[in-house]
Amino acid sequence: MTELCDLTFAEARKALAAKEFSAVELNKAYLEAMEAARGLNAYVLETPEIALERAAESDARIARGEAGALEGLPLGVKDLYCTEGVRTTACSKILGDFTPPYESHVTSLMRSAGAVMLGKLNNDEFAMGSSNETSAFGTPVNPWRRKGSDAKLVAGGSSGGSSAAVAARICLGATATDTGGSIRQPAAFTGTVGVKPTYGRCSRWGIVAFASSLDQAGPIARDVRDAAILMGSMAGYDKRDSTSVDTPVPDYEAAVGRSVKGLRIGVPKEYRVDGMPAEIEKLWSQGAEQLKAAGAEIVEVSLPHTKYALPAYYIVAPAEASSNLARYDGVRYGARVAGRDITEMYENTRAAGFGSEVRRRIMIGAYVLSAGYYDAYYVRAQKVRTLIKQDFETVFAAGVDAILTPATPSAAFGVGEMANASPVEMYLNDVFTVTVNMAGLPGVSVPAGLSAEGLPLALQLIGRPFDEETLFATAAVIEDANGRFTADRWW
Ligand code: GLN
């Protein structure tokens, strides 16, 4: 049944409508494929009963001619999304067996559109990381391997379960979240397409918070069209998220295949960072050529505050995290470790429940928010953030429609390979992605080639606020020019 799992959603949708196979058959094929791929550790919880029940409901709706936009789609859900009656842990021990009595806004929209949940996907603990090695459930394995090597590679982070599962064809599409790159970087490492929407486009309600002013929900999918289809059902206003924006959701799928003739694509000179591998440099100029061949105009642009983005991000994100994670006190959720008094109970619970990266972030956050350092660090980082946002505004005001950059500074690295590196070296993975979150802009990561070692490499397109459509149109051009990248099944 693996052939069923090789179809994109756009293809499966047609076959489902033509009754070539049923939603139950499609989802059964995925459940079997998941079982065969357990060694990849992409899922932290499989929900086969829910999947088959919802797939049968999909078949009934298809039979009545009432199919929704995602009808029958076998979906993997990042374990950061609250799912009604289904354990949600953010891949942290501190949440224990927390089982939310409600569904996140985004997944409930997808469910109303007919999506079928296969299970919950691995991620870095509280989405803090770039390799998914901070998860309490262990690291998911990238379905891609270096040529001639069977060394295990990371699938990126924090949405490493989502990217591994989509690339391994053990879900058709996945939800993910992106605070500094967690959708785009794992997508880049696995030859999949990842979309980080404009801040406010998707509701954060019911998604475990990391850094609330940066977090956004978005899809990881097999190709650009599937990503656009998923986005169409994930986006939408929600009054329960005060930063959700009430603006109509366009037909994203219609933007796939739209001409890019006459578009102005900016190439920022500051993204040519020191030590960038020649193959990334080449991928980038090739991508620019491909857009040019499709009728776009390539212009050099400047985003002068780029070099401050990573340091500023690693102040703002931990500050918000330390505040958001204060709620895990052993009383309201999940795990509790007793102590002689309430203070000791808090301390014991938090010491046992949080992993080392999360503890590091809480400490950095508490420090930069403390009375003596607030102005020197937090306020200054917020000012830098404004400058970064203004850089983009200036470029867009000058008539640039989208910005083309590499998605990551390297291809996927080995599991454990960064274990002895400093945390800052891991943070460098996000050098091309964090600016987008700091400015609240949409960004897409699209596969554009293979490294000398045979691993996927990707480009990023950054758009104007709420102009995801231009990103789908331009990403589709890059995709058409380079083809799709599919990992061979070895697991
Ligand atoms: N890697 C970045 C971090 O650890 C981004 C994570 C994310 O986007 N959730 O903060």
Coordinates of all heavy atoms in Angstrom, one line a residue, residues 297-360:
E297 N 12.3 40.2 -11.8 CA 13.5 41.0 -11.8 C 14.2 40.9 -10.5 O 13.6 40.9 -9.4 CB 13.0 42.5 -12.0 CG 14.1 43.5 -12.1 CD 13.6 44.9 -12.0 OE1 12.4 45.2 -12.0 OE2 14.5 45.8 -11.8
I298 N 15.5 40.6 -10.6 CA 16.3 40.4 -9.4 C 17.0 41.7 -9.0 O 17.7 42.3 -9.8 CB 17.4 39.3 -9.6 CG1 16.7 38.0 -10.1 CG2 18.1 39.0 -8.3 CD1 15.7 37.4 -9.2
V299 N 16.8 42.2 -7.8 CA 17.5 43.4 -7.3 C 18.3 43.2 -6.0 O 17.8 42.4 -5.2 CB 16.5 44.6 -7.1 CG1 15.9 45.0 -8.5 CG2 15.4 44.2 -6.2
E300 N 19.5 43.7 -5.9 CA 20.2 43.6 -4.7 C 19.6 44.5 -3.6 O 19.2 45.7 -4.0 CB 21.7 43.9 -4.8 CG 22.4 43.7 -3.5 CD 23.9 43.8 -3.6 OE1 24.6 42.9 -4.2 OE2 24.5 44.8 -3.2
V301 N 19.3 44.1 -2.4 CA 18.8 44.9 -1.4 C 19.7 44.8 -0.1 O 20.5 44.0 0.0 CB 17.3 44.5 -1.0 CG1 16.4 44.7 -2.2 CG2 17.2 43.1 -0.4
S302 N 19.4 45.8 0.8 CA 20.2 45.8 2.0 C 19.3 45.7 3.2 O 18.3 46.4 3.3 CB 21.0 47.0 2.0 OG 21.7 47.1 3.3
L303 N 19.6 44.8 4.1 CA 18.9 44.7 5.4 C 20.0 44.8 6.5 O 20.5 43.9 7.1 CB 18.2 43.3 5.5 CG 17.2 43.0 4.5 CD1 16.8 41.5 4.4 CD2 15.9 43.8 4.7
P304 N 20.4 46.1 6.7 CA 21.6 46.4 7.5 C 21.6 45.8 8.9 O 22.7 45.6 9.5 CB 21.7 47.9 7.5 CG 20.4 48.4 7.0 CD 19.8 47.4 6.2
H305 N 20.5 45.6 9.6 CA 20.5 45.2 11.0 C 20.5 43.7 11.1 O 20.3 43.2 12.2 CB 19.4 45.8 11.7 CG 19.5 47.3 11.8 ND1 19.0 48.2 10.9 CD2 20.3 48.1 12.6 CE1 19.3 49.4 11.1 NE2 20.1 49.4 12.2
T306 N 20.6 43.0 10.0 CA 20.6 41.5 10.1 C 21.5 40.9 11.1 O 21.2 40.0 11.8 CB 20.9 40.9 8.7 OG1 20.0 41.4 7.7 CG2 20.9 39.4 8.6
K307 N 22.7 41.5 11.2 CA 23.7 40.9 12.1 C 23.3 40.9 13.6 O 23.9 40.2 14.4 CB 25.1 41.5 11.9 CG 25.2 43.0 12.1 CD 26.7 43.4 12.0 CE 27.0 44.8 12.1 NZ 26.4 45.6 11.0
Y308 N 22.4 41.8 13.9 CA 21.9 41.8 15.3 C 20.7 40.9 15.6 O 20.3 40.9 16.7 CB 21.5 43.3 15.7 CG 22.7 44.2 15.4 CD1 22.5 45.3 14.5 CD2 23.9 44.1 16.1 CE1 23.6 46.2 14.2 CE2 24.9 45.0 15.9 CZ 24.8 46.0 14.9 OH 25.8 46.9 14.7
A309 N 20.2 40.3 14.5 CA 19.0 39.5 14.7 C 19.1 38.4 15.7 O 18.3 38.2 16.6 CB 18.4 39.1 13.3
L310 N 20.1 37.6 15.5 CA 20.3 36.4 16.4 C 20.5 36.8 17.8 O 19.7 36.3 18.7 CB 21.5 35.5 15.9 CG 21.2 34.3 15.0 CD1 22.5 33.5 14.8 CD2 20.1 33.4 15.6
P311 N 21.4 37.7 18.1 CA 21.5 38.1 19.5 C 20.2 38.7 20.1 O 19.9 38.4 21.3 CB 22.6 39.1 19.5 CG 23.3 39.1 18.2 CD 22.4 38.3 17.3
A312 N 19.5 39.5 19.3 CA 18.3 40.1 19.8 C 17.2 39.0 20.0 O 16.5 39.0 21.0 CB 17.8 41.1 18.9
Y313 N 17.2 38.0 19.1 CA 16.2 36.9 19.2 C 16.4 36.2 20.5 O 15.5 35.8 21.2 CB 16.3 36.0 18.0 CG 15.5 34.7 18.2 CD1 14.1 34.7 17.9 CD2 16.1 33.6 18.6 CE1 13.4 33.5 18.1 CE2 15.4 32.4 18.8 CZ 14.0 32.4 18.5 OH 13.3 31.2 18.7
Y314 N 17.7 35.9 20.7 CA 18.0 35.0 21.9 C 18.0 35.8 23.2 O 18.4 35.3 24.3 CB 19.4 34.3 21.7 CG 19.1 33.0 20.9 CD1 19.3 32.9 19.6 CD2 18.5 31.9 21.6 CE1 19.0 31.8 18.8 CE2 18.1 30.8 20.8 CZ 18.4 30.7 19.5 OH 18.1 29.6 18.8
I315 N 17.5 37.1 23.2 CA 17.1 37.8 24.4 C 15.5 37.8 24.5 O 14.9 37.4 25.5 CB 17.6 39.2 24.4 CG1 19.2 39.1 24.6 CG2 17.0 40.1 25.5 CD1 19.9 40.4 24.5
V316 N 14.9 38.2 23.3 CA 13.4 38.3 23.3 C 12.8 37.0 23.6 O 11.9 36.8 24.4 CB 12.9 38.9 22.0 CG1 11.4 38.9 21.9 CG2 13.5 40.4 21.9
A317 N 13.2 35.9 22.8 CA 12.6 34.6 22.9 C 12.7 34.0 24.4 O 11.7 33.6 24.9 CB 13.1 33.7 21.9
P318 N 13.9 34.0 24.9 CA 14.0 33.4 26.3 C 13.2 34.3 27.3 O 12.6 33.8 28.3 CB 15.5 33.5 26.6 CG 16.2 33.4 25.3 CD 15.2 34.2 24.4
A319 N 13.2 35.6 27.1 CA 12.4 36.5 28.1 C 10.9 36.0 28.1 O 10.3 35.8 29.1 CB 12.5 37.9 27.7
E320 N 10.4 35.9 26.9 CA 9.0 35.5 26.8 C 8.8 34.1 27.3 O 7.8 33.8 27.9 CB 8.4 35.7 25.4 CG 8.4 37.2 25.0 CD 7.8 37.4 23.6 OE1 7.1 36.5 23.1 OE2 8.1 38.5 23.0
A321 N 9.8 33.2 27.0 CA 9.6 31.8 27.5 C 9.6 31.8 29.0 O 8.9 31.0 29.6 CB 10.8 31.0 26.9
S322 N 10.5 32.5 29.6 CA 10.6 32.4 31.1 C 9.3 32.9 31.7 O 8.8 32.3 32.7 CB 11.8 33.2 31.6 OG 11.4 34.6 31.8
S323 N 8.6 33.8 31.1 CA 7.3 34.3 31.6 C 6.2 33.2 31.3 O 5.5 32.8 32.1 CB 7.0 35.6 30.9 OG 5.7 35.9 31.0
N324 N 6.2 32.7 30.0 CA 5.2 31.7 29.7 C 5.3 30.4 30.5 O 4.3 29.8 30.8 CB 5.3 31.4 28.2 CG 4.5 32.3 27.3 OD1 3.4 32.8 27.7 ND2 5.0 32.6 26.1
L325 N 6.5 30.0 30.7 CA 6.7 28.7 31.4 C 6.6 28.8 32.9 O 6.7 27.8 33.6 CB 8.1 28.1 31.0 CG 8.0 27.2 29.7 CD1 7.5 28.0 28.5 CD2 9.4 26.7 29.3
A326 N 6.3 30.0 33.4 CA 6.1 30.1 34.9 C 4.9 29.4 35.3 O 4.8 29.0 36.5 CB 6.0 31.6 35.2
R327 N 4.0 29.1 34.4 CA 2.7 28.4 34.7 C 3.0 26.9 35.1 O 2.1 26.3 35.7 CB 1.7 28.5 33.6 CG 2.0 27.6 32.4 CD 1.2 28.0 31.2 NE 1.6 29.2 30.6 CZ 1.0 29.7 29.5 NH1 0.0 29.1 28.9 NH2 1.4 30.9 29.0
Y328 N 4.1 26.4 34.7 CA 4.3 24.9 35.0 C 4.9 24.9 36.4 O 6.2 24.9 36.6 CB 5.2 24.3 34.0 CG 4.6 24.5 32.6 CD1 5.2 25.4 31.7 CD2 3.5 23.8 32.3 CE1 4.6 25.6 30.5 CE2 2.9 24.0 31.0 CZ 3.4 24.9 30.1 OH 2.8 25.1 28.9
D329 N 4.0 24.8 37.4 CA 4.5 24.9 38.8 C 4.1 23.6 39.6 O 4.2 23.6 40.8 CB 3.8 26.1 39.4 CG 2.3 26.0 39.3 OD1 1.7 25.0 38.8 OD2 1.6 27.0 39.6
G330 N 3.7 22.6 38.9 CA 3.4 21.3 39.6 C 1.9 21.3 40.2 O 1.5 20.4 40.7
V331 N 1.2 22.4 40.0 CA -0.1 22.5 40.5 C -1.1 22.4 39.4 O -2.1 21.6 39.4 CB -0.3 23.9 41.3 CG1 -1.8 24.0 41.8 CG2 0.7 24.0 42.4
R332 N -0.9 23.2 38.3 CA -2.0 23.3 37.3 C -1.9 22.2 36.2 O -2.9 21.9 35.6 CB -1.9 24.7 36.6 CG -2.6 25.7 37.5 CD -2.3 27.1 37.0 NE -1.0 27.6 37.5 CZ -0.7 28.8 37.5 NH1 -1.5 29.8 37.1 NH2 0.5 29.2 38.0
Y333 N -0.7 21.7 35.9 CA -0.6 20.8 34.8 C 0.3 19.6 35.3 O 1.2 19.8 36.0 CB 0.1 21.3 33.6 CG -0.5 22.5 33.0 CD1 -0.2 23.8 33.5 CD2 -1.4 22.4 32.0 CE1 -0.7 24.9 32.9 CE2 -2.0 23.5 31.4 CZ -1.6 24.8 31.9 OH -2.2 25.9 31.3
G334 N 0.1 18.5 34.7 CA 1.0 17.4 34.6 C 1.7 17.0 35.8 O 1.2 16.8 36.9
A335 N 3.1 16.9 35.7 CA 3.9 16.3 36.7 C 4.0 17.1 38.0 O 3.9 18.3 37.9 CB 5.3 16.0 36.2
R336 N 4.2 16.5 39.1 CA 4.5 17.2 40.4 C 5.5 16.3 41.2 O 5.3 15.1 41.3 CB 3.2 17.3 41.2 CG 3.5 17.9 42.6 CD 2.3 18.0 43.5 NE 1.2 18.8 42.9 CZ 0.0 19.1 43.5 NH1 -0.3 18.5 44.6 NH2 -0.8 19.9 42.9
V337 N 6.5 17.0 41.7 CA 7.4 16.3 42.6 C 7.3 17.0 44.0 O 7.5 18.2 44.1 CB 8.9 16.4 42.1 CG1 9.8 15.7 43.1 CG2 9.0 15.9 40.7
A338 N 6.9 16.3 45.0 CA 6.6 16.8 46.3 C 7.8 17.4 47.0 O 9.0 17.1 46.6 CB 6.0 15.8 47.2
G339 N 7.6 18.3 48.0 CA 8.7 18.9 48.7 C 8.2 19.2 50.1 O 7.0 19.0 50.4
R340 N 9.0 19.8 51.0 CA 8.6 20.0 52.4 C 7.6 21.2 52.4 O 6.7 21.2 53.3 CB 9.8 20.4 53.2 CG 10.5 19.2 53.8 CD 11.8 19.6 54.5 NE 12.5 20.4 53.5 CZ 13.8 20.9 53.7 NH1 14.4 20.7 54.8 NH2 14.4 21.6 52.8
D341 N 7.7 22.1 51.5 CA 6.7 23.2 51.5 C 6.5 23.6 50.0 O 7.0 22.9 49.1 CB 7.3 24.4 52.2 CG 8.6 24.9 51.8 OD1 9.0 24.6 50.6 OD2 9.4 25.5 52.5
I342 N 5.7 24.6 49.8 CA 5.2 24.8 48.4 C 6.4 25.3 47.5 O 6.5 24.9 46.4 CB 4.1 25.8 48.3 CG1 3.5 25.9 46.9 CG2 4.4 27.2 48.8 CD1 2.1 26.5 46.8
T343 N 7.3 26.1 48.1 CA 8.5 26.6 47.3 C 9.3 25.4 46.9 O 9.8 25.3 45.7 CB 9.3 27.6 48.2 OG1 8.4 28.6 48.7 CG2 10.4 28.2 47.3
E344 N 9.6 24.5 47.8 CA 10.4 23.3 47.5 C 9.7 22.4 46.4 O 10.3 21.8 45.6 CB 10.7 22.5 48.7 CG 12.0 21.7 48.5 CD 12.3 20.9 49.8 OE1 13.1 21.4 50.6 OE2 11.9 19.7 49.9
M345 N 8.4 22.4 46.5 CA 7.6 21.6 45.6 C 7.8 22.2 44.2 O 8.0 21.5 43.2 CB 6.1 21.5 46.0 CG 5.2 20.6 45.1 SD 4.6 21.4 43.6 CE 3.4 22.5 44.3
Y346 N 7.6 23.5 44.1 CA 7.9 24.2 42.8 C 9.3 23.9 42.3 O 9.5 23.5 41.1 CB 7.9 25.7 42.9 CG 6.5 26.4 43.2 CD1 6.5 27.7 43.7 CD2 5.3 25.7 42.9 CE1 5.2 28.3 43.9 CE2 4.1 26.4 43.1 CZ 4.1 27.7 43.6 OH 2.9 28.3 43.8
E347 N 10.3 24.0 43.2 CA 11.6 23.8 42.7 C 11.9 22.4 42.3 O 12.5 22.1 41.2 CB 12.6 24.2 43.9 CG 12.7 25.6 44.2 CD 13.4 26.0 45.5 OE1 13.8 25.1 46.2 OE2 13.6 27.2 45.7
N348 N 11.4 21.4 43.1 CA 11.6 20.0 42.7 C 10.9 19.7 41.4 O 11.5 19.0 40.5 CB 11.1 19.1 43.8 CG 11.9 19.2 45.1 OD1 13.0 19.8 45.0 ND2 11.4 18.7 46.2
T349 N 9.7 20.2 41.2 CA 8.9 19.9 40.0 C 9.6 20.5 38.8 O 9.8 19.8 37.8 CB 7.5 20.5 40.1 OG1 6.9 19.9 41.3 CG2 6.7 20.2 38.9
R350 N 10.0 21.7 38.9 CA 10.6 22.4 37.7 C 12.0 21.8 37.4 O 12.4 21.7 36.3 CB 10.6 23.9 37.9 CG 9.2 24.5 37.8 CD 9.2 25.9 38.3 NE 9.9 26.9 37.4 CZ 9.4 27.4 36.3 NH1 8.2 27.1 35.9 NH2 10.1 28.3 35.6
A351 N 12.7 21.4 38.5 CA 14.1 20.8 38.2 C 13.9 19.5 37.6 O 14.7 19.1 36.7 CB 14.8 20.7 39.5
A352 N 12.9 18.7 38.0 CA 12.8 17.4 37.4 C 12.1 17.4 36.0 O 12.3 16.6 35.2 CB 12.0 16.5 38.3
G353 N 11.2 18.4 35.8 CA 10.4 18.4 34.7 C 11.0 19.1 33.4 O 10.7 18.7 32.3
F354 N 11.8 20.1 33.6 CA 12.4 20.8 32.5 C 13.8 20.2 32.1 O 14.6 20.0 33.0 CB 12.6 22.3 32.8 CG 11.3 23.1 32.9 CD1 11.1 23.9 34.0 CD2 10.4 23.0 31.9 CE1 10.0 24.7 34.1 CE2 9.2 23.7 32.0 CZ 9.0 24.6 33.1
G355 N 14.0 20.1 30.8 CA 15.4 19.6 30.3 C 16.3 20.8 30.4 O 16.0 21.9 30.7
S356 N 17.6 20.5 30.0 CA 18.7 21.5 30.3 C 18.5 22.7 29.3 O 18.8 23.9 29.8 CB 20.0 20.9 30.1 OG 20.2 20.3 28.8
E357 N 18.1 22.5 28.1 CA 18.0 23.7 27.2 C 16.8 24.6 27.7 O 17.0 25.8 27.7 CB 17.7 23.2 25.7 CG 17.6 24.4 24.7 CD 18.9 25.2 24.6 OE1 20.0 24.7 24.9 OE2 18.8 26.4 24.3
V358 N 15.8 24.0 28.1 CA 14.6 24.8 28.6 C 15.1 25.6 29.9 O 14.8 26.8 30.0 CB 13.4 23.9 28.9 CG1 12.3 24.7 29.5 CG2 12.9 23.3 27.5
R359 N 15.8 24.9 30.7 CA 16.3 25.6 32.0 C 17.2 26.7 31.6 O 17.1 27.8 32.2 CB 17.0 24.6 32.9 CG 16.1 23.6 33.5 CD 16.7 23.0 34.8 NE 17.9 22.2 34.5 CZ 17.9 20.9 34.4 NH1 16.8 20.2 34.6 NH2 19.0 20.3 34.2
R360 N 18.1 26.5 30.6 CA 19.0 27.6 30.2 C 18.2 28.8 29.7 O 18.5 29.9 30.1 CB 19.9 27.1 29.0 CG 20.8 28.2 28.4 CD 21.6 27.7 27.3 NE 22.6 26.6 27.7 CZ 22.6 25.4 27.2 NH1 21.8 25.0 26.3 NH2 23.5 24.5 27.7

